[in-house]
Amino acid sequence: MRVIIEESAEEVGRRAARILARQVREKPDSVLGLATGHTPLGVYRELIRMHTEEGLDFSQITTFNLDEYVGLEPTHPQSYRFFMQRHLFEHLNAHPSRIHVPDGRALDFASFCRRYEERIRMAGGIDIQLLGIGRDGHMAFNEPGSSLGSRTRLKTLASETIRDNARYFGTEDRVPRLAVTMGVGTILEARQCLLLANGPHKAEAIQRTIEGPVTSQVTASALQLHRDVIIILDEEAASRLERVAYYRDVERAQSLLESGGLRALGIGPGTGNG
Ligand code: F6R
């Protein structure tokens, strides 16, 4: 796991956007896994800027979103489909037929979820999966106790998540109780995972994710089993990590590797350091 600590939430967003932009430049028909919520907003702002000012081309990408509330129409202002349209898709040149957000109004969720997984496979699998994290350590809507092998399915939201998300709905009783979400197992199949977190309220979940045991009680901790994970944090989200000095050392070595500064020692680029 590569842990990158940035000075501010804005820097977290810009750093993540640079990683996604590089992916799209190197492989224009990349398959991107996308997230909603407050955390990725800075990433999306920066990707839109790169598209409008630098001509970054998204015309060949395919996207799969992590999750959606059950019962909300795509036009509902709190639906994740609406969120993605407003904060990203309507500003890019991604082709609508290659944009996928789980359907919160599916009539048969079991078959919808099977088809969603099938579509990911048919698209060649996800190249980079963008992730946020809940205060209870959830990634997507995989609440504590979710199987670490789980696939796309319906999930009951935990009371902590309902409380946290009530800010978007006005009151807690308006927050849907169920969501369709990619499973932990689905996420772990992405070729690379990019987890972002900002703010002091994420510090404990981040400490447990990175330095605690792998446990279904903190589903993001399953990322420890993935071979290519980058976690980007602001100082506050990193504030409870015990091995910060080491993560910073790794990053210094990584930039030397990338800039060729270690060539004198016979160590070249491409050497893993995660
Ligand atoms: C959203 C998602 C959730 C959020 C998490 C953090 O698609 O999958 O896991 O990433 O709840 O939400 P924010 O970023 O609003 O703090």
Side-chain angles (χ1 to χ4, degrees), residues 2 10 23 35 37 40 44 56 58 78 109 113 115 118 131 140 144 155 196 206 214 227 235-236 244 255 257 270:
R2 207 177 142 186
E10 291 69 38
Q23 169 71 35
Y44 297 156
L56 183 60
F58 292 91
Q78 298 310 330
F109 278 103
C113 292
R115 272 187 285 123
E118 184 58 25
L131 297 160
K155 192 71 201 169
L196 314 182
I206 283 297
V214 174
R227 64 195 289 272
E235 304 264 1
E236 292 180 321
V244 168
S255 8
L257 279 170

Side-chain angles (χ1 to χ4, degrees), residues 121-263:
R121 267 193 302 277
M122 304 274 287
I126 291 171
D127 290 304
I128 298 193
Q129 177 65 58
L130 186 62
L131 297 160
I133 184 170
R135 278 194 305 136
D136 61 5
H138 69 223
M139 56 176 182
F141 272 133
N142 294 290
E143 299 287 25
S146 295
S147 157
L148 299 186
S150 52
R151 314 300 311 188
T152 302
R153 70 207 183 293
L154 284 186
K155 192 71 201 169
T156 305
L157 302 191
S159 52
E160 196 168 25
T161 303
I162 292 172
R163 265 199 309 281
D164 281 349
N165 291 1
R167 63 198 149 126
Y168 302 116
F169 287 85
T171 57
E172 268 184 42
D173 52 320
R174 289 202 198 131
V175 183
R177 268 34 189 178
L178 290 173
V180 199
T181 180
M182 276 190 208
V184 179
T186 321
I187 293 168
L188 291 181
E189 280 172 10
R191 282 183 269 284
Q192 185 175 54
C193 291
L194 192 53
L195 176 79
L196 314 182
N198 298 315
H201 56 300
K202 298 291 175 73
E204 187 188 343
I206 283 297
Q207 195 278 332
R208 294 178 74 192
T209 293
I210 298 173
E211 296 176 338
V214 174
T215 167
S216 64
Q217 297 308 306
V218 180
T219 53
S221 69
L223 292 174
Q224 292 178 30
L225 301 170
H226 194 285
R227 64 195 289 272
D228 193 353
V229 177
I230 302 180
I231 300 183
I232 312 180
L233 310 169
D234 71 357
E235 304 264 1
E236 292 180 321
S239 60
R240 292 181 72 161
L241 290 171
E242 285 161 20
R243 308 194 68 226
V244 168
Y246 177 69
Y247 306 137
R248 291 196 195 277
D249 283 348
V250 172
E251 274 322 290
R252 273 190 288 275
Q254 186 68 30
S255 8
L256 279 172
L257 279 170
E258 281 167 10
S259 65
L262 289 185
R263 220 165 276 147

